[in-house]
Amino acid sequence: MASNKAVTLGTADFEVFGKVQGVYFRKHTQKKALELGLKGWVMNTAQGTVVGQLQGPPKALQDMKVWLQEVGSPKSRIEKTTFKNESPINNYAFKSFEIRH
């Protein structure tokens, strides 16, 4: 039976460039994601960026994308944020939002 219900969950990968390491960016990202009810992960890269994956309702994803582009942690300086692999999903792949090492 086909369903015409609206998309209830989405996913997006992100990468944040700028001064985003050593400024508690991952901790603040986790806190914001959990506040918005998002699941996924965040981690530092060897290139000095922060990458991660978000999963959740479209409105929460949009709020998080704005936060990742314009807010960040108090001492961070975001130069740019990229998003890719954005698509609807049927189920969460993660139980919570974790900081990976």
Side-chain angles (χ1 to χ4, degrees):
M1 216 167 129
S3 171
N4 290 334
K5 68 177 183 174
V7 175
T8 55
L9 294 175
T11 185
D13 296 341
F14 66 88
E15 184 166 11
V16 187
F17 300 80
K19 184 183 175 193
V20 292
Q21 289 191 8
V23 291
Y24 299 100
F25 198 91
R26 293 173 301 160
K27 183 178 175 189
H28 284 271
T29 300
Q30 180 187 46
K31 182 174 180 268
K32 185 64 175 177
L34 292 172
E35 277 174 20
L36 292 170
L38 295 171
K39 298 181 194 255
W41 56 271
V42 61
M43 69 182 276
N44 286 340
T45 69
Q47 293 74 38
T49 64
V50 171
V51 296
Q53 186 173 24
L54 305 168
Q55 295 185 341
K59 170 78 171 93
L61 285 174
Q62 188 56 42
D63 290 350
M64 190 70 194
K65 285 167 72 174
V66 170
W67 188 90
L68 286 167
Q69 289 172 297
E70 300 174 8
V71 184
S73 66
K75 289 187 164 54
S76 67
R77 195 181 69 252
I78 300 165
E79 290 172 9
K80 75 172 183 174
T81 305
T82 59
F83 298 96
K84 60 186 182 200
N85 303 323
E86 296 183 64
S87 63
I89 56 172
N90 293 322
N91 299 297
Y92 286 108
F94 308 102
K95 289 182 170 44
S96 187
F97 194 93
E98 65 187 37
I99 295 173
R100 292 185 175 174
H101 301 282

